[in-house]
């Protein structure tokens, strides 16, 4: 079967490799450097943007404004500001420091400025937007406000579409209709804002009309994921991933707190963050296996069939204790282990 | 102070007040009015289940008969709220079991309801009548079976768009033969087949049945028999509307429809075979509400159907209707008040139908009573929006979704600020607005200056800086709900407008630039606001304070800010230590 251990990134047109787990050390450092340099220039440019000009609409040209948001989102969204699992400690600290130092200074200034100047305002009940425009801390903050824009919500692996679309629409001066990448267009979580109920209904409608052979059409494919011992279950959109590895990474992240095992009161995890490698061991080693219920109601081990076939037949996912999964196809267990 | 009227008289007077606002106002007049009012209040609406606790409600209103409640924030509909966040109905149901033995109605929206809750409901209240679960989840058809079996006087069972684990259709057969009180049954969200015999018998012995919404599994061949047994139906949701094309099936169906003289609303229509649509023509002139949003019907057939419905007030349809169909709609349906156009292929890269901004312009021109719109399209221009605003200043709800986020005016490539600006300027009664497309801080300035009646605003991928958010928070006097995703709005605007947040029901911000530090500060300064940081990356204080949180959900509350059902990915202010989040 197609190897599920291929790297995460897609090489479709316009899509970029992601390094959310800090896989390639040097590039995350490079990006940090780029971003802090970028911060400086952003700060200069953004002083204007932060000025409160209540009486003067349209004093900035719209094109330039959109350029701001473009550059911000395109350049800065790709860097792994907050590595999801701080395993490679060197890299994490480094990137956090480089970025955070710029951020922190500006933000602290403003927050302190806020709490000090605001105490009087609080008690007077007189709320004013602190907008002198000449406060350097504020300018930095504004820059930071835009620059520390996170790259998306939890399943953020393919959330770059809006940035890409923007870039194309203004750079190429073509309508957005024609500039989009074809088939491999990634999806932003929760966009367009259509209820799952409706989305799922559309998928099956188009299936019936087009007489496709059981392959799920475009659209989200939400399945529930439960884990033995976890107090609640989660949902994932299988269409967000194109390979098993992506799926298992996402699940690791989602359920990491449960695999750690140390829980405080109410089942809340402690502050300790496990190393990523240990997580993987837990998930792929003897402790837990990932299984799914297929269309016929049978429970199978994940990883056995080609990805496309898997998502066409998967109804539910379950992270089981390895010992419970013994009844499932032993050959698949072997395969799983070998892949990792 | 001399009391002019005895309590009973005041109670009687108050009984004519149905609106919550009026009743709340009455209870503020004086202590004695507060007391009288609270004893005679029968219905309450809780817009955010975490804004208040069951104990507080029960203490204040000891004699409720009807409770309506909402749980998760609206963006949960689009999977932006992680599973397990909360909004559990059980604690409320359990608390009310003891307090309200005469409870008759429970209406829940976006809450997690378990089978246990349903069973408890079915067994606790002797005169239970109405259960409406809108966009709820967490229960199975077993729970429904309890309701069917035990609620002897059940009038309404409405499962609007809830996510039900469908174990089997057997639940319907649990309605005892003695149950004849049904007025409304909506099972359209269920997947599996129910026993058609049981369904027919149920319908036949329910003379008061006004609303029947079937699920997709009910085939067209069965529809005629069902309708025949309920000619008094006012609202009908069909099942799958497809069958082999046979004249006897058709005439059977047409006959059945023609007997339904009271029919006002139609929905369902999965898997439509357009040749069967004319079977409905006899009722079309009376139809005021038509939901074809699951029906893949080509534009020409849609036009034929719609032009029969001269009294149409509400139309939900897929974009198969195209601009040409909307032109026809504008020409025939002069009473149209609400239009929703959904995308048939939202994830396709290229448009699959010819539906553009022009359709909306036509409808706004042709339908003088149009006041509520939800429109999905792929292109928009300022010129079109300005024209729409000029044509239709009576909009109350305007929700536009351009499929490509941050799409500019396709003609000029400018942001759509001017267009939406025109909407808020001209439509002075606008209460709800959703915007998409390329938008700068300017549009928010317009909104802040003009949208004085705006109660709910949804923003995505818009704005340039905190200024945008500040305009909205400082300018929109009537704002109750604000939901934002993927916008560069952050701490400054939030903190500068902290007091405003207490005048609103809630604020949702995801993938914005709100830092954990600001959340802490906000929570410290505003003890009546619950500032929930919803972040799946682990404890927020393991990251630098300036880091943005994934999601912040801020809502006013008089209940505890450390709700007991908080999952591990939610952090709120720790009351014990004012400097730490736990």
């Amino acid at each position: 079967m197609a190897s599920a251990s291929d790297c995460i990134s897609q090489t479709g047109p316009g899509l970029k490799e992601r390094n959310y787990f800090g896989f390639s050390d040097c590039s995350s450092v490079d990006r940090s450097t780029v971003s802090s340099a970028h911060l400086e220039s952003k700060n200069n440019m953004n002083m204007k943007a932060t000025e409160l000009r209540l009486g003067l609409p349209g004093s900035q040209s719209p094109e330039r404004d959109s350029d701001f948001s473009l550059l911000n989102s395109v350049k800065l969204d790709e860097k792994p500001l907050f590595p999801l699992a701080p395993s490679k400690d060197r890299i994490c600290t480094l990137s956090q420091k480089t970025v955070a130092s710029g951020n922190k200074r500006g933000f602290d200034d403003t927050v302190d400025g806020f709490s000090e100047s605001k105490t009087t305002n609080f008690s007077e009940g007189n709320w004013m937007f602190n907008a002198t425009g000449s406060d350097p801390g504020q300018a930095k903050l504004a820059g930071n406000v835009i620059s520390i824009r996170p790259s998306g919500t939890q399943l953020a692996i393919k959330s770059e579409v809006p940035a890409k679309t923007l870039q194309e629409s203004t750079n190429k001066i073509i309508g957005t209709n024609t500039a989009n990448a074809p088939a491999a267009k990634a999806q932003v979580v929760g966009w367009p804002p259509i209820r799952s109920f409706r989305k799922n209904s559309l998928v099956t409608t188009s299936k019936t009309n087009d007489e496709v052979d059981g392959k799920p059409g475009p659209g989200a494919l939400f399945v529930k994921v439960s884990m033995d011992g976890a107090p609640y279950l989660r949902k994932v959109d299988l269409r967000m991933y194109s390979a098993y590895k992506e799926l298992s990474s996402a699940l690791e992240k989602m359920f990491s707190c449960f695999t750690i095992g140390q829980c405080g009161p109410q089942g809340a995890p402690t502050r300790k963050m496990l190393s990523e490698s240990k997580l993987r061991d837990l998930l792929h080693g003897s402790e837990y296996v990932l299984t799914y219920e297929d269309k016929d109601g049978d429970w199978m081990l994940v990883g056995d069939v080609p990805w496309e076939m898997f998502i066409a037949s998967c109804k539910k996912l379950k992270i089981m204790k390895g010992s419970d999964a013994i009844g499932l196809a032993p050959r698949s267990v072997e395969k799983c282990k070998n892949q990792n | 102070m001399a009391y002019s009227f005895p309590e009973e008289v005041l109670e009687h007077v108050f009984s004519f007040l149905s609106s919550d606002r009026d009743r709340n106002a009455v209870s503020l007049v004086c202590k004695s009015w507060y007391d009288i009012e609270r004893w005679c209040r029968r219905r309450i609406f809780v817009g955010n289940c975490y804004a208040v606790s069951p104990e507080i409600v029960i203490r204040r209103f000891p004699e409720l008969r009807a409770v309506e409640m909402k749980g998760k924030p609206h963006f949960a509909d689009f999977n932006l709220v992680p599973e397990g966040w909360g909004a559990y109905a059980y604690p409320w149901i359990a608390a009310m079991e003891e307090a309200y033995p005469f409870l008759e109605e429970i209406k829940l929206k976006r809450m997690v309801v378990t089978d246990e809750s349903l069973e408890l409901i079915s067994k606790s209240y002797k005169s239970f009548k109405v259960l409406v679960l809108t966009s709820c989840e967490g229960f199975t058809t077993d729970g429904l079976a309890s309701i069917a079996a035990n609620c002897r006087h059940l009038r309404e069972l409405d499962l609007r768009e809830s996510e039900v684990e469908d174990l089997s259709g057997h639940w319907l057969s649990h309605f005892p033969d003695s149950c004849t009180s049904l007025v409304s049954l909506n099972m359209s969200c269920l997947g599996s087949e129910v026993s058609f015999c049981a369904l027919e018998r149920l319908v036949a012995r329910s003379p008061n049945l006004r609303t029947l919404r079937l699920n997709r599994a009910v085939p067209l061949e069965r529809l005629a028999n069902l309708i025949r047994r309920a000619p008094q139906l006012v609202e009908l949701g069909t099942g799958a509307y497809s069958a082999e094309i046979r004249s006897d099936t058709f005439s059977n169906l047409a006959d059945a429809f023609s007997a339904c003289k009271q029919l006002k609303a139609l929905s369902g229509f999965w898997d439509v075979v357009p040749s069967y649509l004319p079977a409905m023509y006899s009722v079309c002139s009376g139809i005021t509400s038509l939901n074809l949003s699951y029906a893949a019907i080509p534009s020409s057939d849609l036009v034929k159907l719609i032009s029969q419905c001269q009294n149409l007030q509400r139309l939900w349809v897929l974009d198969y209707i195209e601009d040409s169909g909307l032109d026809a709609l504008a020409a025939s349906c002069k009473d149209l008040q609400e239009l929703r156009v959904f995308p048939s292929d939202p994830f396709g890269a290229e448009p699959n139908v010819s539906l553009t901004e022009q359709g909306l312009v036509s409808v706004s021109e042709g339908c003088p009573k149009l006041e509520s719109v939800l429109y999905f399209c792929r292109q928009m221009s300022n010129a079109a929006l300005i024209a729409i605003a000029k044509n239709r200043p009576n909009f109350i709800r305007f929700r536009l979704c351009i499929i490509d986020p941050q799409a500019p005016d396709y003609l000029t490539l400018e942001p759509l600020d001017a267009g939406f600006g025109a909407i808020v300027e001209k439509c002075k009664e606008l209460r709800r607005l959703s915007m998409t497309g390329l938008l700068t801080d300017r549009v928010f300035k317009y909104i802040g200056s003009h949208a004085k009646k705006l109660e709910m605003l949804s923003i995505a991928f818009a704005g340039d800086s905190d200024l945008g958010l500040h305009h909205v928070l400082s300018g929109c006097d009537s704002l109750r709900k604000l939901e934002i995703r993927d916008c560069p709005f952050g701490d400054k605007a939030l903190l500068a407008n902290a007091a405003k947040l207490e005048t609103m029901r809630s604020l949702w911000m995801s993938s914005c630039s709100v830092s954990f530090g600001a959340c802490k500060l906000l929570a410290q300064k505003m003890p009546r606001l619950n500032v929930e940081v919803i972040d799946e990356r682990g404890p927020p204080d393991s990251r630098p304070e300036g880091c943005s949180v994934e999601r912040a959900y801020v809502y006013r509350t008089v209940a505890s800010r450390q709700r007991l059902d908080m999952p591990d990915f939610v952090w709120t202010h720790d009351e014990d230590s004012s400097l730490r989040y736990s």
Side-chain angles (χ1 to χ4, degrees), chain B residues 40-52:
Chain B
C40 67
R41 186 160 333 188
R42 297 284 174 263
R43 333 188 116 251
I44 53 158
F45 168 74
V46 178
N48 172 6
C49 64
Y50 290 121
V52 72

Side-chain angles (χ1 to χ4, degrees), chain A residues 17-19 21-29 31 80 88 91:
Chain A
E17 190 174 331
R18 315 277 168 254
N19 285 309
F21 293 101
F23 284 148
S24 63
D25 304 356
C26 35
S27 52
S28 66
V29 173
R31 283 173 185 170
K88 319 268 173 67
I91 308 308

Side-chain angles (χ1 to χ4, degrees), chain A residues 82 107 145 154 195 232 234, chain B residues 161 491 536 547 551 568:
Chain A
F82 319 117
F107 186 83
V145 162
Q154 80 255 33
R195 312 240 356 252
Y232 47 83
R234 314 304 300 275
Chain B
E161 297 180 348
D491 305 337
E536 291 175 288
C547 284
R551 308 166 193 83
D568 62 294

Side-chain angles (χ1 to χ4, degrees), chain A residues 46-91:
Chain A
N46 279 338
M47 287 213 53
K48 238 189 171 184
T50 61
E51 279 180 46
L52 238 200
R53 282 183 239 149
L54 296 172
L56 299 166
S59 42
Q60 297 168 20
S61 78
E63 283 85 50
R64 233 180 325 133
D65 280 356
S66 16
D67 277 347
F68 279 164
S69 8
L70 274 193
L71 290 170
N72 292 338
S73 43
V74 170
K75 289 284 174 353
L76 301 171
D77 276 357
E78 18 172 323
K79 74 173 165 355
L81 266 181
F82 319 117
L84 295 167
S87 57
K88 319 268 173 67
D89 286 354
R90 298 182 332 274
I91 308 308

